[in-house]
Amino acid sequence: LAVPWRWRCSSRRGGAGCPTAGQVRAAFLRFFQERHGHHRLPSAPVRPRGDPRLLFVNAGMNQFKPIFLGTVHPRSELTQHRRVVNSQKCVRAGGKHNDLEDVGRDTYHHTFFEMLGNWSFGDYFKEEACSMAWELLTEVYKIPRDRLYITYFGGDSTLGLSADEECRDVWLHLGVPASHVLPFPLKDNFWEMGDTGPCGPCTEIHYDYVGGGRNAAALVNQGSPDVVEIWNLVFMQYNREVEGNLLPLPQHHVDTGMGLERLVTVLQNKRSNYDTDLFTPILDAIHKGCRVPRYQGLVGDADVGRVNMAYRVVADHVRTLCVCITDGIYPGFSGAELVLRRILRRAVRFCSEVLQAPPGLLASLVPTVVEVLGEAYPELMKNADQIMDIINENEAAFLSSLERGRCIIERTVQQMEPSTNFPAEVAWSLYGNLGFPVDLIDLMLEEKGIHLDSAAFNKLALEDAKRKAHCPKAEQPEKTNTCLDVHSLSQLRSSNVPATDDSLKYAYTLGPHGQYEFSPCQATVLMLYRDQSLQKEVGAGQHCGVILDRTNFYAEQGGQDSDQGYMIHLGQQDVLFPVESVHLCGGYVIHEVTAVETLHVGDQVQLFVDEAQRLACMTNHTATHLLNFALRHVLGDSTEQRGSHVTAERLRFDFDTKGPVTVEQLQQVEQVVQDMIKRNEVVHMAEVPLTVARRVQGLRAVDEEYPDPVRIVSLGVPVESVLTHDSKAAMQTSVELCCGTHLLQTGSVEDLAIINEHQLVKGISRVIAVTGRQAKQAREVGQCLAMEVDSVSLRIKQRSSSIPVMQNLSKEVGQLTKVVDSTAIPQWQRKELQTILKALQRTANTAVRKLELQQAEKKAQSLLAKHWNQPVIIDTVPADSLSILMKVVNHLCDKSPGTSVLLLSPQASGEVLCACQVSKNCLPAFSAADWAVAVCTQMEGKAGGSPIVAKGSGNAKGMQGALTTALEFAHSKL
């Protein structure tokens, strides 16, 4: 193998002669590709494909799970290669593997890292894998052999697993000294994919930074910074069953993973990942854009002001942001998007407060990241401008929130009693309204030597989760502060309190980059409402309804959830009043808030809507109109809306239907919607007199009271054209009476997937749909499940002659059916897969029954020949199940009607199965049930049945005595 540099492994390594990270990565890939015949695959995106259990791709093996699990489609590209190598982009932040809180505190944790890996899918195994690894490290990378230590699985008596001596012997054969080959227990050297699935022993290669001929074996796996793991080789040779036992896999696989960052640290003779050329260009760029000294690599108490921690946080987080945004994960409010939002805001905070950098530093680092990683991941080069725009937009939004949050924390701390915890209510307001991650709040408080009241905070979080849960209306708390009673309404009107002007809820525009821009609203408090009475003042900590002269908040109506957000006293930026919900009552908009300070009538406030939640509702409401039109277009004009509900997460739509919606109709509905999305139709909205609106041909309206004038929402056709006399424009598109908030163009919906459809009652169906990235994810998961169904279908069609194999396939179909039934995938695809799985279940069960009958018939013929013309047959016979044993008994009695039969079948587990049938000629003196009970009692077991047939089981220790009992019992009855 030609190496494009001269390796220097002396103490001087780290200078100009050292390999670059790019060279290290390239050498790994080229070694396995050119010298050992591996197929090189590009990195998968960090957004998991079809795996809803993962927030991010967090290991190199994620994309190969279908191979390990045996669910890969036979025609899949993955099945074309037995040996694979790649460098995988990985993110560990959120979920089970979460390094976010540790990043910056030390010199080796990261949210984004690169995993170098080579895989064998049923090809080579331990000897070849270890040999290749040793060759690469010692001959290509020239790492001194005496600095490397090997660990292997030392066995586990509770699982009945012996030590992996095969692996140990491979390393010894390669010349590794016995003192450097060390056994470790299950927790260190046995790798498992999850609670069930492929697993196996692993061997790890550790590197001693100190060297010098010392023996560092005692430091391996002890958390020493001087001896670190650099490569893990996993040998998948078992499968963890649901019951917890381990069974050998039919094919052995190899899955290795070596973090590039740590390897480069070793090869460049550094002790910190941040001192390698994967990070130094980024750290240099940070220094140029901030007002603090250069990065010095300090940690802990030595890092005064946490300047070095800030350098590491920003350098790590900007890499993660670049990779995630490129792969389609954007800062958002749920799942991976929420985690990325926290990462971005954490980086912005360190830029602003610690590094004293002006706004824009984070985005300015993107070209440097692209320069460092772009050659390995060229997709980064295509998206640099988009990455910078998204970072800048999110930074601008957060910086204003950050300043308000800092003021709130400072002000609250000043008012606190000494030695008390920070109030959970304030922290919850920061978290819910300004988007502060909890770890960020903790960090800001930690700097002041204060702790958050975590128990109280968790209680608030639990209460919020319960409030958001979709529970029956009867179980929800009564909204005493949001629904004005008749006396209060009368009092408001008699006092000439004007109705709320909420027209500003429609005041939003599309920015130059396609982002929606919402303006804040200034208003005056006209009245407060608490405990079913109007009040002029509400004290701090009290729950109340606030009536303003104007608002930009959308009140819950028309099936759309209300806005959320917060209000502040004008000129007092550091006091937030969270707006938890908004309701419309008699023309008055009631904002449900918890007063942080005293509120008075006449107070001037400024309102801020939660823009992400509003935009999600707008998207789903516009999608609801698209869906309404598509359903009528596909199912006919008689299809009428019966109800709908729009939330930020999904949309629900109820409608008249003559019968269940077919798979083809669901596909057609989705296609009609997607066509309108692709055309990026303008969404026209205007208020018109109700009488004029009702004359529109093709108008869609539900049976409810509408205001006058009424708002018309028309997709693709201006409202003026719709209102023209004799116009049929509304027959060709969606035109509805609607008070909801909508997108300005349909293209922003991106995609729509109907993930559930069922009949509520006869004649009324309900569909549930998701949009945007959720819809895309549903389709990806659906394709993954379809491949699994195809895989099991092909295996069933091969018609194995093994009963256990067919029984396992039948069980697999049952498990897959449950997954298909409960997973969010397109409903048309769910119905297709359910139909296929139902047929496969019948086929598998029929095949099992046929095989059992065939086996029973063979065994019966053999026993007949052995016991020809006997009145009683008592014997032992091998049988895989009680069902087969019973069939053997039935066959014997069918062939020899006057014979009574009792058979025992010892099992490998130590259990003995028992089945018997008594000839009708022997009734009633001879009972099969009594016969089976007598025999199984002898074996310390149980039995039951009828006078003619019975079955049971017992313990193998009593089998010989049971045979004697069976014969004696029969003779006593005949």
Side-chain angles (χ1 to χ4, degrees), residues 292-361:
V292 295
R294 282 187 175 276
Y295 177 70
Q296 297 174 284
L298 303 175
V299 295
D301 294 338
D303 183 19
V304 179
R306 297 193 174 186
V307 170
N308 290 266
M309 177 180 177
Y311 267 105
R312 290 188 289 268
V313 166
V314 174
D316 171 89
H317 287 9
V318 73
R319 285 169 25 116
T320 304
L321 288 164
C322 288
V323 169
C324 287
I325 292 170
T326 295
D327 286 350
I329 302 175
Y330 306 109
F333 285 81
S334 64
E337 286 77 9
L338 176 59
V339 175
L340 194 65
R341 180 178 186 248
R342 290 174 176 168
I343 289 171
L344 185 145
R345 291 190 161 200
R346 189 168 186 251
V348 168
R349 185 259 171 153
F350 275 99
C351 284
S352 171
E353 296 196 355
V354 182
L355 297 177
Q356 303 170 30
L361 171 64

Side-chain angles (χ1 to χ4, degrees), residues 238-384:
Y238 300 106
N239 191 71
R240 173 80 69 178
E241 301 295 303
V242 176
E243 297 80 10
N245 56 311
L246 296 174
L247 293 180
L249 283 172
Q251 270 197 329
H252 290 173
H253 307 296
V254 173
D255 163 21
T256 84
M258 177 160 57
L260 175 68
E261 291 77 8
R262 186 170 289 180
L263 176 64
V264 172
T265 301
V266 169
L267 296 178
Q268 293 182 358
N269 200 30
K270 306 293 184 183
R271 294 300 296 269
S272 163
N273 296 354
Y274 292 92
D275 291 337
T276 69
D277 63 338
L278 286 167
F279 288 93
T280 51
I282 304 172
L283 295 170
D284 290 343
I286 293 171
H287 177 253
K288 291 176 184 177
C290 70
R291 303 185 182 95
V292 295
R294 282 187 175 276
Y295 177 70
Q296 297 174 284
L298 303 175
V299 295
D301 294 338
D303 183 19
V304 179
R306 297 193 174 186
V307 170
N308 290 266
M309 177 180 177
Y311 267 105
R312 290 188 289 268
V313 166
V314 174
D316 171 89
H317 287 9
V318 73
R319 285 169 25 116
T320 304
L321 288 164
C322 288
V323 169
C324 287
I325 292 170
T326 295
D327 286 350
I329 302 175
Y330 306 109
F333 285 81
S334 64
E337 286 77 9
L338 176 59
V339 175
L340 194 65
R341 180 178 186 248
R342 290 174 176 168
I343 289 171
L344 185 145
R345 291 190 161 200
R346 189 168 186 251
V348 168
R349 185 259 171 153
F350 275 99
C351 284
S352 171
E353 296 196 355
V354 182
L355 297 177
Q356 303 170 30
L361 171 64
L362 198 59
S364 74
L365 303 175
V366 172
T368 306
V369 175
V370 172
E371 184 179 345
V372 173
L373 298 175
E375 184 179 352
Y377 310 108
E379 60 271 19
L380 287 166
M381 299 180 184
K382 303 174 186 176
N383 294 281

Side-chain angles (χ1 to χ4, degrees), residues 6 129 209 273 313 322 393 416 493 504 558 589 698 740 926 943 963:
R6 183 181 176 187
Y209 276 107
N273 296 354
V313 166
C322 288
E393 288 169 12
M416 285 170 53
R493 288 164 183 156
L504 287 176
V589 176
F926 196 177
L963 289 170

